[in-house]
Amino acid sequence: MSHVHEDCGSEEKAWLPVGDGSGRIARHPHCVHCGAVRNLSSDRARGIGYFMNVLGEIRKGGKLTQVQVRLIAKELEGILSFEDKYDMRGSSQEKMFVDAVMGHSSLSWNFVKGYLQA
């Protein structure tokens, strides 16, 4: 994210699906600078600190080395939109996190996903 998102005025909000599968629509604010639509669903993004804590828990269990943790952290920090809570979904973050961990270790999808559920 290269800027701080700024909501449009209430008159400019767009009618869009809520995203919960109910078929309902609601007025969604969007950023006046880039046009990104704010995520109003319950699938909220988390800060990178949450994922660093999860890495720490996996490492504490003896499943990752300090080098692997650092490589995974650098990869996540390199994803510009990873911490963008405005239009990033939590499920998308989790997929990126699990993919990064699997790319630097031999841990399985279910093993890593289990730490995110705890």
Side-chain angles (χ1 to χ4, degrees):
M1 177 176 66
S2 61
H3 66 278
V4 175
H5 293 291
E6 182 182 337
D7 280 351
C8 64
S10 58
E11 294 296 318
E12 292 85 25
K13 290 181 181 179
W15 287 96
L16 298 168
V18 174
D20 61 2
S22 67
R24 295 180 302 131
I25 60 171
R27 296 185 75 194
H28 288 64
H30 62 276
C31 176
V32 297
H33 302 295
C34 68
V37 176
R38 178 184 281 193
N39 176 15
L40 297 179
S41 74
S42 61
D43 188 11
R44 303 278 178 173
R46 298 177 185 249
I48 198 160
Y50 168 79
F51 295 97
M52 295 303 111
N53 288 339
V54 172
L55 280 178
E57 289 298 314
I58 297 172
R59 183 170 188 272
K60 197 182 327 181
K63 300 297 183 181
L64 292 174
T65 66
Q66 183 62 37
V67 171
Q68 288 172 310
V69 168
R70 186 67 190 131
L71 289 170
I72 295 163
K74 289 295 277 182
E75 183 174 332
L76 295 176
E77 290 167 356
I79 302 171
L80 293 177
S81 63
F82 189 79
E83 283 195 272
D84 187 356
K85 293 181 181 181
Y86 195 88
D87 66 340
M88 176 63 72
R89 291 184 172 271
S91 56
S92 298
Q93 280 183 318
E94 288 182 3
K95 182 182 181 330
M96 288 183 241
F97 175 78
V98 174
D99 289 344
V101 172
M102 289 175 56
H104 295 284
S105 70
S106 60
L107 301 176
S108 72
W109 175 272
N110 289 333
F111 180 84
V112 178
K113 189 77 170 156
Y115 274 89
L116 292 171
Q117 306 302 329

